[in-house]
PDB file of all heavy atoms in Angstrom:
ATOM      1  N   GLN X  46     -12.167 -13.701  -3.407  1.00  0.00           N
ATOM      2  CA  GLN X  46     -12.438 -12.298  -3.670  1.00  0.00           C
ATOM      3  C   GLN X  46     -11.111 -11.545  -3.739  1.00  0.00           C
ATOM      4  O   GLN X  46     -10.200 -11.831  -2.976  1.00  0.00           O
ATOM      5  CB  GLN X  46     -13.305 -11.719  -2.534  1.00  0.00           C
ATOM      6  CG  GLN X  46     -14.679 -12.334  -2.459  1.00  0.00           C
ATOM      7  CD  GLN X  46     -15.499 -12.078  -3.715  1.00  0.00           C
ATOM      8  OE1 GLN X  46     -15.484 -11.000  -4.258  1.00  0.00           O
ATOM      9  NE2 GLN X  46     -16.171 -13.108  -4.199  1.00  0.00           N
ATOM     10  N   PRO X  47     -11.009 -10.569  -4.634  1.00  0.00           N
ATOM     11  CA  PRO X  47      -9.775  -9.797  -4.699  1.00  0.00           C
ATOM     12  C   PRO X  47      -9.583  -8.976  -3.428  1.00  0.00           C
ATOM     13  O   PRO X  47     -10.548  -8.622  -2.764  1.00  0.00           O
ATOM     14  CB  PRO X  47      -9.981  -8.879  -5.914  1.00  0.00           C
ATOM     15  CG  PRO X  47     -11.450  -8.859  -6.138  1.00  0.00           C
ATOM     16  CD  PRO X  47     -12.003 -10.140  -5.590  1.00  0.00           C
ATOM     17  N   ALA X  48      -8.339  -8.760  -3.085  1.00  0.00           N
ATOM     18  CA  ALA X  48      -8.028  -7.960  -1.899  1.00  0.00           C
ATOM     19  C   ALA X  48      -8.635  -6.571  -2.053  1.00  0.00           C
ATOM     20  O   ALA X  48      -8.642  -6.000  -3.132  1.00  0.00           O
ATOM     21  CB  ALA X  48      -6.527  -7.858  -1.716  1.00  0.00           C
ATOM     22  N   GLU X  49      -9.146  -6.048  -0.965  1.00  0.00           N
ATOM     23  CA  GLU X  49      -9.758  -4.720  -1.022  1.00  0.00           C
ATOM     24  C   GLU X  49      -8.755  -3.591  -0.948  1.00  0.00           C
ATOM     25  O   GLU X  49      -9.082  -2.469  -1.204  1.00  0.00           O
ATOM     26  CB  GLU X  49     -10.770  -4.596   0.120  1.00  0.00           C
ATOM     27  CG  GLU X  49     -11.974  -5.498  -0.042  1.00  0.00           C
ATOM     28  CD  GLU X  49     -12.990  -5.244   1.032  1.00  0.00           C
ATOM     29  OE1 GLU X  49     -13.292  -4.080   1.324  1.00  0.00           O
ATOM     30  OE2 GLU X  49     -13.458  -6.229   1.609  1.00  0.00           O
ATOM     31  N   SER X  50      -7.522  -3.892  -0.549  1.00  0.00           N
ATOM     32  CA  SER X  50      -6.515  -2.853  -0.403  1.00  0.00           C
ATOM     33  C   SER X  50      -5.336  -3.182  -1.317  1.00  0.00           C
ATOM     34  O   SER X  50      -4.459  -3.974  -0.970  1.00  0.00           O
ATOM     35  CB  SER X  50      -6.062  -2.752   1.052  1.00  0.00           C
ATOM     36  OG  SER X  50      -7.154  -2.410   1.876  1.00  0.00           O
ATOM     37  N   THR X  51      -5.320  -2.585  -2.490  1.00  0.00           N
ATOM     38  CA  THR X  51      -4.257  -2.812  -3.467  1.00  0.00           C
ATOM     39  C   THR X  51      -3.815  -1.477  -4.058  1.00  0.00           C
ATOM     40  O   THR X  51      -4.635  -0.589  -4.284  1.00  0.00           O
ATOM     41  CB  THR X  51      -4.715  -3.743  -4.608  1.00  0.00           C
ATOM     42  OG1 THR X  51      -5.822  -3.136  -5.273  1.00  0.00           O
ATOM     43  CG2 THR X  51      -5.111  -5.099  -4.091  1.00  0.00           C
ATOM     44  N   PHE X  52      -2.520  -1.365  -4.281  1.00  0.00           N
ATOM     45  CA  PHE X  52      -1.964  -0.116  -4.822  1.00  0.00           C
ATOM     46  C   PHE X  52      -0.900  -0.395  -5.856  1.00  0.00           C
ATOM     47  O   PHE X  52      -0.178  -1.399  -5.781  1.00  0.00           O
ATOM     48  CB  PHE X  52      -1.304   0.710  -3.711  1.00  0.00           C
ATOM     49  CG  PHE X  52      -2.238   1.119  -2.629  1.00  0.00           C
ATOM     50  CD1 PHE X  52      -2.280   0.424  -1.429  1.00  0.00           C
ATOM     51  CD2 PHE X  52      -3.088   2.194  -2.804  1.00  0.00           C
ATOM     52  CE1 PHE X  52      -3.145   0.786  -0.435  1.00  0.00           C
ATOM     53  CE2 PHE X  52      -3.970   2.559  -1.798  1.00  0.00           C
ATOM     54  CZ  PHE X  52      -4.003   1.854  -0.615  1.00  0.00           C
ATOM     55  N   GLN X  53      -0.746   0.553  -6.747  1.00  0.00           N
ATOM     56  CA  GLN X  53       0.406   0.628  -7.635  1.00  0.00           C
ATOM     57  C   GLN X  53       1.173   1.849  -7.147  1.00  0.00           C
ATOM     58  O   GLN X  53       0.641   2.967  -7.178  1.00  0.00           O
ATOM     59  CB  GLN X  53      -0.045   0.808  -9.087  1.00  0.00           C
ATOM     60  CG  GLN X  53       1.064   0.716 -10.089  1.00  0.00           C
ATOM     61  CD  GLN X  53       1.559  -0.712 -10.245  1.00  0.00           C
ATOM     62  OE1 GLN X  53       0.816  -1.670 -10.139  1.00  0.00           O
ATOM     63  NE2 GLN X  53       2.848  -0.856 -10.504  1.00  0.00           N
ATOM     64  N   LEU X  54       2.378   1.648  -6.631  1.00  0.00           N
ATOM     65  CA  LEU X  54       3.207   2.743  -6.108  1.00  0.00           C
ATOM     66  C   LEU X  54       4.301   3.046  -7.116  1.00  0.00           C
ATOM     67  O   LEU X  54       4.946   2.130  -7.640  1.00  0.00           O
ATOM     68  CB  LEU X  54       3.828   2.350  -4.766  1.00  0.00           C
ATOM     69  CG  LEU X  54       2.877   1.882  -3.674  1.00  0.00           C
ATOM     70  CD1 LEU X  54       3.656   1.451  -2.445  1.00  0.00           C
ATOM     71  CD2 LEU X  54       1.897   2.971  -3.323  1.00  0.00           C
ATOM     72  N   THR X  55       4.541   4.319  -7.343  1.00  0.00           N
ATOM     73  CA  THR X  55       5.563   4.740  -8.328  1.00  0.00           C
ATOM     74  C   THR X  55       6.407   5.859  -7.743  1.00  0.00           C
ATOM     75  O   THR X  55       5.886   6.716  -7.023  1.00  0.00           O
ATOM     76  CB  THR X  55       4.882   5.232  -9.621  1.00  0.00           C
ATOM     77  OG1 THR X  55       4.035   4.205 -10.121  1.00  0.00           O
ATOM     78  CG2 THR X  55       5.903   5.575 -10.687  1.00  0.00           C
ATOM     79  N   SER X  56       7.687   5.834  -8.043  1.00  0.00           N
ATOM     80  CA  SER X  56       8.567   6.959  -7.686  1.00  0.00           C
ATOM     81  C   SER X  56       9.380   7.324  -8.909  1.00  0.00           C
ATOM     82  O   SER X  56       9.728   6.477  -9.729  1.00  0.00           O
ATOM     83  CB  SER X  56       9.478   6.592  -6.511  1.00  0.00           C
ATOM     84  OG  SER X  56      10.455   5.661  -6.904  1.00  0.00           O
ATOM     85  N   HIS X  57       9.676   8.601  -9.025  1.00  0.00           N
ATOM     86  CA  HIS X  57      10.442   9.110 -10.176  1.00  0.00           C
ATOM     87  C   HIS X  57      11.314  10.235  -9.660  1.00  0.00           C
ATOM     88  O   HIS X  57      10.817  11.182  -9.041  1.00  0.00           O
ATOM     89  CB  HIS X  57       9.454   9.627 -11.239  1.00  0.00           C
ATOM     90  CG  HIS X  57      10.143  10.184 -12.444  1.00  0.00           C
ATOM     91  ND1 HIS X  57      10.392  11.521 -12.611  1.00  0.00           N
ATOM     92  CD2 HIS X  57      10.646   9.575 -13.541  1.00  0.00           C
ATOM     93  CE1 HIS X  57      11.004  11.716 -13.756  1.00  0.00           C
ATOM     94  NE2 HIS X  57      11.170  10.550 -14.334  1.00  0.00           N
ATOM     95  N   ASP X  58      12.630  10.145  -9.897  1.00  0.00           N
ATOM     96  CA  ASP X  58      13.503  11.221  -9.427  1.00  0.00           C
ATOM     97  C   ASP X  58      14.017  12.076 -10.570  1.00  0.00           C
ATOM     98  O   ASP X  58      13.795  11.777 -11.752  1.00  0.00           O
ATOM     99  CB  ASP X  58      14.642  10.656  -8.563  1.00  0.00           C
ATOM    100  CG  ASP X  58      15.681   9.842  -9.330  1.00  0.00           C
ATOM    101  OD1 ASP X  58      15.778   9.997 -10.561  1.00  0.00           O
ATOM    102  OD2 ASP X  58      16.388   9.066  -8.677  1.00  0.00           O
ATOM    103  N   ALA X  59      14.702  13.144 -10.217  1.00  0.00           N
ATOM    104  CA  ALA X  59      15.179  14.124 -11.202  1.00  0.00           C
ATOM    105  C   ALA X  59      16.226  13.535 -12.130  1.00  0.00           C
ATOM    106  O   ALA X  59      16.462  14.072 -13.217  1.00  0.00           O
ATOM    107  CB  ALA X  59      15.735  15.345 -10.483  1.00  0.00           C
ATOM    108  N   ARG X  60      16.847  12.451 -11.760  1.00  0.00           N
ATOM    109  CA  ARG X  60      17.856  11.800 -12.613  1.00  0.00           C
ATOM    110  C   ARG X  60      17.220  10.835 -13.596  1.00  0.00           C
ATOM    111  O   ARG X  60      17.915  10.139 -14.337  1.00  0.00           O
ATOM    112  CB  ARG X  60      18.876  11.081 -11.745  1.00  0.00           C
ATOM    113  CG  ARG X  60      19.696  12.036 -10.917  1.00  0.00           C
ATOM    114  CD  ARG X  60      20.709  11.318 -10.077  1.00  0.00           C
ATOM    115  NE  ARG X  60      21.416  12.289  -9.249  1.00  0.00           N
ATOM    116  CZ  ARG X  60      22.032  11.989  -8.132  1.00  0.00           C
ATOM    117  NH1 ARG X  60      22.054  10.741  -7.707  1.00  0.00           N
ATOM    118  NH2 ARG X  60      22.635  12.932  -7.435  1.00  0.00           N
ATOM    119  N   GLY X  61      15.897  10.749 -13.585  1.00  0.00           N
ATOM    120  CA  GLY X  61      15.190   9.905 -14.543  1.00  0.00           C
ATOM    121  C   GLY X  61      14.952   8.478 -14.079  1.00  0.00           C
ATOM    122  O   GLY X  61      14.430   7.658 -14.836  1.00  0.00           O
ATOM    123  N   ARG X  62      15.335   8.165 -12.858  1.00  0.00           N
ATOM    124  CA  ARG X  62      15.103   6.808 -12.340  1.00  0.00           C
ATOM    125  C   ARG X  62      13.637   6.654 -11.951  1.00  0.00           C
ATOM    126  O   ARG X  62      13.077   7.499 -11.252  1.00  0.00           O
ATOM    127  CB  ARG X  62      16.000   6.517 -11.158  1.00  0.00           C
ATOM    128  CG  ARG X  62      17.467   6.431 -11.556  1.00  0.00           C
ATOM    129  CD  ARG X  62      18.337   6.174 -10.369  1.00  0.00           C
ATOM    130  NE  ARG X  62      18.324   7.401  -9.562  1.00  0.00           N
ATOM    131  CZ  ARG X  62      19.239   7.694  -8.653  1.00  0.00           C
ATOM    132  NH1 ARG X  62      20.226   6.889  -8.414  1.00  0.00           N
ATOM    133  NH2 ARG X  62      19.168   8.822  -7.978  1.00  0.00           N
ATOM    134  N   VAL X  63      13.023   5.575 -12.414  1.00  0.00           N
ATOM    135  CA  VAL X  63      11.625   5.290 -12.135  1.00  0.00           C
ATOM    136  C   VAL X  63      11.521   3.934 -11.453  1.00  0.00           C
ATOM    137  O   VAL X  63      12.174   2.981 -11.858  1.00  0.00           O
ATOM    138  CB  VAL X  63      10.776   5.291 -13.429  1.00  0.00           C
ATOM    139  CG1 VAL X  63       9.329   4.931 -13.129  1.00  0.00           C
ATOM    140  CG2 VAL X  63      10.869   6.625 -14.140  1.00  0.00           C
ATOM    141  N   GLY X  64      10.730   3.868 -10.405  1.00  0.00           N
ATOM    142  CA  GLY X  64      10.492   2.601  -9.724  1.00  0.00           C
ATOM    143  C   GLY X  64       8.996   2.406  -9.573  1.00  0.00           C
ATOM    144  O   GLY X  64       8.267   3.362  -9.295  1.00  0.00           O
ATOM    145  N   THR X  65       8.541   1.185  -9.770  1.00  0.00           N
ATOM    146  CA  THR X  65       7.127   0.867  -9.622  1.00  0.00           C
ATOM    147  C   THR X  65       7.000  -0.481  -8.925  1.00  0.00           C
ATOM    148  O   THR X  65       7.701  -1.426  -9.293  1.00  0.00           O
ATOM    149  CB  THR X  65       6.413   0.794 -10.993  1.00  0.00           C
ATOM    150  OG1 THR X  65       6.559   2.057 -11.639  1.00  0.00           O
ATOM    151  CG2 THR X  65       4.949   0.492 -10.842  1.00  0.00           C
ATOM    152  N   VAL X  66       6.127  -0.537  -7.938  1.00  0.00           N
ATOM    153  CA  VAL X  66       5.849  -1.795  -7.248  1.00  0.00           C
ATOM    154  C   VAL X  66       4.349  -1.896  -7.001  1.00  0.00           C
ATOM    155  O   VAL X  66       3.632  -0.890  -7.017  1.00  0.00           O
ATOM    156  CB  VAL X  66       6.598  -1.915  -5.894  1.00  0.00           C
ATOM    157  CG1 VAL X  66       8.104  -1.926  -6.080  1.00  0.00           C
ATOM    158  CG2 VAL X  66       6.175  -0.815  -4.933  1.00  0.00           C
ATOM    159  N   SER X  67       3.905  -3.105  -6.747  1.00  0.00           N
ATOM    160  CA  SER X  67       2.523  -3.314  -6.327  1.00  0.00           C
ATOM    161  C   SER X  67       2.530  -3.609  -4.830  1.00  0.00           C
ATOM    162  O   SER X  67       3.492  -4.147  -4.295  1.00  0.00           O
ATOM    163  CB  SER X  67       1.893  -4.471  -7.102  1.00  0.00           C
ATOM    164  OG  SER X  67       2.594  -5.667  -6.843  1.00  0.00           O
ATOM    165  N   LEU X  68       1.455  -3.220  -4.166  1.00  0.00           N
ATOM    166  CA  LEU X  68       1.318  -3.463  -2.744  1.00  0.00           C
ATOM    167  C   LEU X  68      -0.106  -3.891  -2.466  1.00  0.00           C
ATOM    168  O   LEU X  68      -1.058  -3.211  -2.868  1.00  0.00           O
ATOM    169  CB  LEU X  68       1.642  -2.200  -1.932  1.00  0.00           C
ATOM    170  CG  LEU X  68       1.470  -2.306  -0.417  1.00  0.00           C
ATOM    171  CD1 LEU X  68       2.436  -3.335   0.174  1.00  0.00           C
ATOM    172  CD2 LEU X  68       1.661  -0.950   0.243  1.00  0.00           C
ATOM    173  N   THR X  69      -0.262  -5.033  -1.820  1.00  0.00           N
ATOM    174  CA  THR X  69      -1.555  -5.550  -1.436  1.00  0.00           C
ATOM    175  C   THR X  69      -1.547  -5.710   0.078  1.00  0.00           C
ATOM    176  O   THR X  69      -0.589  -6.249   0.642  1.00  0.00           O
ATOM    177  CB  THR X  69      -1.825  -6.910  -2.100  1.00  0.00           C
ATOM    178  OG1 THR X  69      -1.742  -6.751  -3.502  1.00  0.00           O
ATOM    179  CG2 THR X  69      -3.200  -7.429  -1.741  1.00  0.00           C
ATOM    180  N   CYS X  70      -2.593  -5.236   0.719  1.00  0.00           N
ATOM    181  CA  CYS X  70      -2.738  -5.383   2.171  1.00  0.00           C
ATOM    182  C   CYS X  70      -4.046  -6.110   2.451  1.00  0.00           C
ATOM    183  O   CYS X  70      -5.027  -5.934   1.742  1.00  0.00           O
ATOM    184  CB  CYS X  70      -2.755  -4.018   2.851  1.00  0.00           C
ATOM    185  SG  CYS X  70      -1.278  -3.012   2.525  1.00  0.00           S
ATOM    186  N   GLU X  71      -4.005  -6.900   3.503  1.00  0.00           N
ATOM    187  CA  GLU X  71      -5.211  -7.631   3.957  1.00  0.00           C
ATOM    188  C   GLU X  71      -5.734  -8.586   2.906  1.00  0.00           C
ATOM    189  O   GLU X  71      -6.862  -8.394   2.442  1.00  0.00           O
ATOM    190  CB  GLU X  71      -6.283  -6.652   4.426  1.00  0.00           C
ATOM    191  CG  GLU X  71      -5.816  -5.732   5.523  1.00  0.00           C
ATOM    192  CD  GLU X  71      -6.783  -4.597   5.803  1.00  0.00           C
ATOM    193  OE1 GLU X  71      -7.752  -4.372   5.067  1.00  0.00           O
ATOM    194  OE2 GLU X  71      -6.554  -3.927   6.810  1.00  0.00           O
ATOM    195  N   PRO X  72      -5.020  -9.586   2.477  1.00  0.00           N
ATOM    196  CA  PRO X  72      -3.739 -10.103   2.975  1.00  0.00           C
ATOM    197  C   PRO X  72      -2.554  -9.390   2.308  1.00  0.00           C
ATOM    198  O   PRO X  72      -2.668  -8.844   1.227  1.00  0.00           O
ATOM    199  CB  PRO X  72      -3.782 -11.562   2.559  1.00  0.00           C
ATOM    200  CG  PRO X  72      -4.585 -11.571   1.291  1.00  0.00           C
ATOM    201  CD  PRO X  72      -5.629 -10.485   1.491  1.00  0.00           C
ATOM    202  N   THR X  73      -1.424  -9.449   2.975  1.00  0.00           N
ATOM    203  CA  THR X  73      -0.220  -8.786   2.510  1.00  0.00           C
ATOM    204  C   THR X  73       0.365  -9.507   1.293  1.00  0.00           C
ATOM    205  O   THR X  73       0.461 -10.719   1.290  1.00  0.00           O
ATOM    206  CB  THR X  73       0.835  -8.738   3.636  1.00  0.00           C
ATOM    207  OG1 THR X  73       0.253  -8.085   4.753  1.00  0.00           O
ATOM    208  CG2 THR X  73       2.076  -8.009   3.214  1.00  0.00           C
TER     209      THR X  73
END
Side-chain angles (χ1 to χ4, degrees):
Q46 296 297 318
E49 292 185 46
S50 299
T51 60
F52 299 100
Q53 188 72 33
L54 305 177
T55 304
S56 71
H57 179 264
D58 69 21
R60 294 180 183 157
R62 292 179 290 200
V63 177
T65 301
V66 297
S67 61
L68 177 63
T69 302
C70 302
E71 303 169 351
T73 303

